[in-house]
């Protein structure tokens, strides 16, 4: 474990430094995360303007979900997206061979090699919106340490889902736009599950578990989560993580080096 | 056969072959527009509960139309151009007696045609699952739709290719595109139909190019726009198109002078 932590620290320090060469990018990262949040808040307002809203959620509670959504968007931008394009390049150019030879877990090497600073504004703004929503909905007292559990589970689940998509690169080779698919899926987390028709809720809980990414942590923050959901979210995250490892091993078995 | 047609045929064939080489990517493009279907669900629920400018069945048709429009108008030229500039691949292409933009245009057209079967399959699947949304546009509506859909593609391509010129100066022009993409999503009507916006606000953004990239073609496909609106949209779109193309040519010339052919 200590060795992994050391390696990760080195990986992340170098990649962070490399990205910091493009400091001007930071302005655009801030602009786009602010724009994204502002647009989402605007659409949230559109729902409540005509008196429709989401059943069981006030507009401020909806904002908490938005904040959580923005935090996860930041995680995707900082960790998941930059690594995904590297995996695709590795497979396409055959440099995955060289990684497989190294005495370190291959999944760790391909999936957590890069940490980029461009998701930080999303996380910061998201946390601010979360705090504001909690404050306004007078639920601040209810938010507890317990929310760490579904949050952590959400991150693991997101990682596992994303890595499952990335692994298909071994079979399909060129899938740079898989990030778009992932973003499309995550977009469903912009709103609480109560906003969706029953059939959607079924899909987002059992097929693509988006519900566990934003709605469940937001409910926990608001202090009204039931124990079923609190137990289900780490279980789902574990299952997804194990699945991602199994699929990666299966993929490596059918990988034939391109570099020769 | 004239030289022009030979060139078009050659570019199309090579790009089509390139696109079908990695077909999985095309399926992912088709799937990546799942956002339309997600928002369809949310707005369907909302319009069932309260009264909005559109009824729930109209909302379903609107977002289906949005899906079709976005399938027709996917533009990725900035990523391709950024790669060419940053890695110096633009240098050998500049030596050829044809403007590099036509390669990108052909690549987009070939990609569209290669992806068409998946898009049609998804729309058919949707109608099979939810037959209540079925509607048949009149032939004239369809003709107008293809006209405005094509125009939306041209305008979006021109805007993105102009932003891509920033690559000559910053190397990371794609981050500017991230910001404009948000304007495209929100003001274009991909998140909520512009009919739901406050009227004064809508009046203002109708002068920007964004509503004509998604919302307007979608409304045309639904058959709910008047001739006056068609004329106004065509005028605003062509105005923006001319302005963007002029800016593009100016930036292209200025940028080429700066381009130092890294790696070539």
């Amino acid at each position: 474990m200590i060795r992994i932590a050391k390696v990760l620290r080195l990986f992340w320090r170098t990649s962070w430094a490399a990205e910091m060469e493009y400091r001007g990018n930071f302005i655009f990262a801030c602009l786009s995360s602010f724009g994204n949040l502002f647009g989402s808040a605007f659409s949230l307002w559109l729902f409540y303007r005509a008196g429709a809203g989401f059943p069981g959620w006030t507009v401020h509670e909806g904002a908490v979900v938005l904040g959580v959504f923005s935090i996860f968007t930041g995680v995707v931008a900082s960790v998941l997206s930059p690594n995904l394009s590297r995996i695709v390049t590795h497979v396409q150019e055959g440099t995955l061979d060289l990684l497989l030879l190294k005495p370190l877990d291959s999944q760790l090497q391909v999936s957590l090699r890069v940490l980029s600073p461009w998701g930080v504004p999303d996380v910061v703004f998201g946390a601010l919106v979360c705090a504001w929503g909690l404050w306004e909905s007078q639920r601040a007292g209810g938010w507890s340490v317990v929310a760490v559990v579904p949050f952590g589970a959400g991150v693991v689940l997101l990682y596992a889902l994303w890595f499952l998509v990335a692994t298909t690169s071994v079979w399909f080779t060129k899938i740079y736009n898989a990030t778009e698919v992932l973003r499309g899926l995550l977009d469903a987390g912009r709103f609480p599950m109560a906003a969706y028709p029953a059939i959607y809720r079924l899909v987002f809980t059992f097929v693509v578990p988006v519900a566990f990414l934003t709605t469940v942590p937001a409910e926990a923050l608001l202090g009204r989560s039931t124990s079923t959901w609190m137990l289900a979210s780490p279980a789902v995250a574990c299952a997804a993580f194990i699945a991602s490892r199994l699929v990666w091993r299966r993929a490596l078995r059918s990988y034939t080096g391109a570099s020769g | 056969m004239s030289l022009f047609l030979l060139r078009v045929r050659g570019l199309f064939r090579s790009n089509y072959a390139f696109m079908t080489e990695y077909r999985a990517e095309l399926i992912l493009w088709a799937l990546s527009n799942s956002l339309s279907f997600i928002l369809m669900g949310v707005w369907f629920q909302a319009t069932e509960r309260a009264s909005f400018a559109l009824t729930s069945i109209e909302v379903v048709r609107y977002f289906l139309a949005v899906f079709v429009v976005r399938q027709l108008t996917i533009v990725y030229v900035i990523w391709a151009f950024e790669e060419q500039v940053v890695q110096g691949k633009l240098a050998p292409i500049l030596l050829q007696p044809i403007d590099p933009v036509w390669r990108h245009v052909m690549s987009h057209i070939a990609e569209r045609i290669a992806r068409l079967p998946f898009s049609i399959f998804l729309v058919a699947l949707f109608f099979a699952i939810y037959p209540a949304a079925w509607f048949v546009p009149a032939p004239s509506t369809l003709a107008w739709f293809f006209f405005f859909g094509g125009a939306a593609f041209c305008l979006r391509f021109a805007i993105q290719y102009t932003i891509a010129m920033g690559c000559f100066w910053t190397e990371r022009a794609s981050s500017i595109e991230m910001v404009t993409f948000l304007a495209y999503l929100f003001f274009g009507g991909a998140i909520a139909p512009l009919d739901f916006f406050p009227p004064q606000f809508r009046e203002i953004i109708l002068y920007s190019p964004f509503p004509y990239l998604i919302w307007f073609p979608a409304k045309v496909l639904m058959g709910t726009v008047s001739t006056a609106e068609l004329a106004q949209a065509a005028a605003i779109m062509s105005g923006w198109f001319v302005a963007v193309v002029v800016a593009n040519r100016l930036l292209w010339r200025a940028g080429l002078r700066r381009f130092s052919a890294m790696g070539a």
Side-chain angles (χ1 to χ4, degrees), chain A residues 178-208:
Chain A
T179 20
E180 295 299 316
V181 180
L182 196 76
R183 184 153 51 175
L185 291 178
L186 186 62
D187 266 321
R190 230 181 258 265
F191 307 110
M193 280 303 125
Y196 292 97
I199 180 88
Y200 278 61
R201 263 178 270 169
L202 219 63
V203 171
F204 291 147
T205 312
F206 295 107
V207 186
V208 193

Side-chain angles (χ1 to χ4, degrees), chain A residues 75-129:
Chain A
V75 173
V76 170
S78 263
V79 190
L80 304 187
S81 298
N83 282 297
L84 176 73
S85 50
R86 283 176 54 94
I87 295 181
V88 177
T89 315
H90 278 316
V91 173
Q92 206 179 0
E93 295 179 359
T95 42
L96 186 64
D97 302 16
L98 307 174
L99 281 184
L100 293 178
L101 290 175
K102 288 180 185 165
L104 187 66
D105 183 70
S106 57
Q107 181 171 352
L108 180 81
Q109 277 188 85
V110 294
S111 62
L112 295 174
R113 174 65 185 79
V114 177
L115 181 71
S116 114
W118 313 129
V120 173
D122 278 320
V123 175
V124 173
F125 288 146
L128 287 177
V129 170

Side-chain angles (χ1 to χ4, degrees), chain A residues 19 22 25 28-29 31-36 38-40 42-43 45-47 49-55 92 118 165 172-178 180-181 183-185 187-188 190-191 194-198 200-201 204, chain B residues 18-19 22 24-32 34-47 49-52 79 86 126 170-172 175-176 178-179 181-182 185-186 191-193 195-199 201:
Chain A
E19 277 299 311
Y22 306 96
N25 228 14
F28 290 108
L31 265 180
S32 80
S33 69
F34 185 77
N36 204 355
F38 189 79
S40 304
F42 176 69
S43 47
W45 174 73
L46 285 180
F47 280 103
R49 195 172 73 106
F54 308 137
Q92 206 179 0
W118 313 129
V165 174
F172 302 133
T173 310
K174 193 171 152 242
I175 51 153
Y176 283 102
N177 57 354
E180 295 299 316
V181 180
R183 184 153 51 175
L185 291 178
D187 266 321
R190 230 181 258 265
F191 307 110
Y196 292 97
Y200 278 61
R201 263 178 270 169
F204 291 147
Chain B
F18 182 71
M19 281 302 157
Y22 297 109
E25 195 175 39
L26 298 173
I27 300 179
L28 289 178
W29 272 129
L31 289 178
S32 67
S34 56
L35 182 66
S36 312
F37 292 108
I38 291 169
L39 284 153
M40 179 194 287
V42 190
W43 281 111
F44 178 80
Q45 280 291 88
T47 44
R49 274 197 306 275
S51 73
F52 279 90
W79 314 103
V86 173
F126 176 80
T170 75
E171 291 192 0
R172 283 286 174 100
S175 33
I176 310 175
M178 303 280 234
V179 181
F181 184 72
L182 289 172
L185 278 189
F186 289 111
I191 303 291
D195 312 72
F196 295 170
F197 285 20
F201 184 55

Side-chain angles (χ1 to χ4, degrees), chain B residues 101-175:
Chain B
V101 71
W102 298 115
R103 273 175 184 276
H104 296 301
V105 171
M106 254 329 158
S107 157
H108 281 69
I109 293 173
E111 191 267 346
R112 221 106 316 172
I113 292 171
R115 185 163 32 80
L116 201 64
F118 304 122
S119 312
I120 293 175
F121 171 75
L122 284 178
V123 172
L125 185 70
F126 176 80
F127 281 127
I129 295 172
Y130 196 74
W134 177 253
F135 71 110
V136 183
S140 64
T141 310
L142 263 185
W144 279 119
F145 169 70
F146 282 112
F147 175 76
F148 278 97
F153 168 73
C154 294
L155 184 56
R156 177 130 192 265
F157 185 92
I159 293 175
Q160 209 187 72
Y161 192 56
T162 306
I163 296 172
M165 292 301 130
C167 291
F168 287 122
W169 287 271
T170 75
E171 291 192 0
R172 283 286 174 100
S174 56
S175 33

Side-chain angles (χ1 to χ4, degrees), chain A residues 46-67:
Chain A
L46 285 180
F47 280 103
Y48 282 88
R49 195 172 73 106
F54 308 137
W57 292 76
T58 67
V59 67
H60 296 115
E61 288 164 353
V64 176
V65 177
L66 258 188

